Amino acid sequence: MRIEELTWPEFEELKRRVDTVILPVGSIEAHGRHLPLGTDVFAPLEIARRVEERLRGMRMEVLIAPPVWYGHTFVLDVYPGTINVGSDALKAYVREILREFAAEGFKRIVLLNGHGGNHSPLLLAVEEVAGAFPGVEIWLINWWLDFREDILSICSSQGHAGQDETSVMLAIRPELVRMEEANGERRTSRVRVIRKDIGRELFPDGVNDDPSLATAEKGEAILSVVSEKIARLIAGEK
């Protein structure tokens, strides 16, 4: 159930029996020439929707919070359309959201992250809130990392705007994908290099992988296994 669609009395009633809220977090940034800027939000939002659907089948309810659209994306800020939020600002903003959900009485908050650059700011926010609310459990899930083994059993490669992300977007919003522009290759660096324009080197055209083998079928398989596993974790199953 989406929180923004509820009235406050409906929300008040639901939180008496629902102890878990899912907060999708992503970014607005370049994803090659073939994917939309909102890819990192579209994916966790869809996963959250499917998680709720599966939990409903298990006779369990969760609430889905409105997503945090903007994230920390320093490296890709060299490309038009990328809206970078400083790590301190993102940490503070998410921390305040988490504090409010904890104060509302939720016992478990699931941060469903869709963007790699968010990880460190989110972790710091989570630690601060968990320290202030001992009775609250906060999960930080990076869906493409935490279920990497499952994803690589479906796709032959993984990367930014790569085969996995492109497949997921083909399954979610195929009308927004430009497969004729889906080109790229894997780039790596021996050490982490921070430089203002490093994004053009590591992410040529905003890509770090070969997205050309992406299919909607692969995307559907990824969404299915990831949402199923998250739902079972929330339900307390292994």
Side-chain angles (χ1 to χ4, degrees), residues 22-166:
I22 300 175
L23 174 61
V25 185
S27 67
I28 297 296
E29 66 174 5
H31 277 77
R33 296 177 179 270
H34 64 292
L35 291 182
L37 298 170
T39 291
D40 286 348
V41 179
F42 291 135
L45 259 179
E46 177 63 14
I47 292 168
R49 186 191 69 78
R50 291 178 183 230
V51 167
E52 184 202 10
E53 187 176 75
R54 281 165 166 74
L55 286 171
R56 201 181 308 123
M58 301 176 191
R59 299 177 181 270
M60 183 175 178
E61 292 180 285
V62 293
L63 287 175
I64 301 174
V68 175
W69 280 89
Y70 299 101
H72 181 58
T73 177
F74 173 85
V75 173
L76 285 156
D77 204 19
V78 294
Y79 292 106
T82 298
I83 308 300
N84 176 42
V85 174
S87 58
D88 288 343
L90 180 64
K91 183 196 81 169
Y93 183 53
V94 173
R95 181 191 64 214
E96 294 308 301
I97 296 172
L98 295 175
R99 282 183 183 275
E100 284 296 297
F101 281 127
E104 286 282 357
F106 291 100
K107 299 303 180 186
R108 176 167 49 200
I109 307 167
V110 179
L111 273 179
L112 187 49
N113 182 36
H115 171 60
N118 290 343
H119 179 76
S120 293
L122 294 182
L123 182 59
L124 292 173
V126 165
E127 289 177 350
E128 287 189 21
V129 177
F133 293 85
V136 176
E137 185 173 275
I138 306 174
W139 296 9
L140 175 52
I141 296 178
N142 299 297
W143 70 266
W144 73 101
L145 284 179
D146 296 337
F147 304 98
R148 178 179 172 82
E149 187 175 330
D150 298 291
I151 292 169
L152 286 176
S153 72
I154 298 165
C155 293
S156 58
S157 66
Q158 204 183 15
H160 180 76
Q163 186 181 160
D164 56 335
E165 275 196 306
T166 303

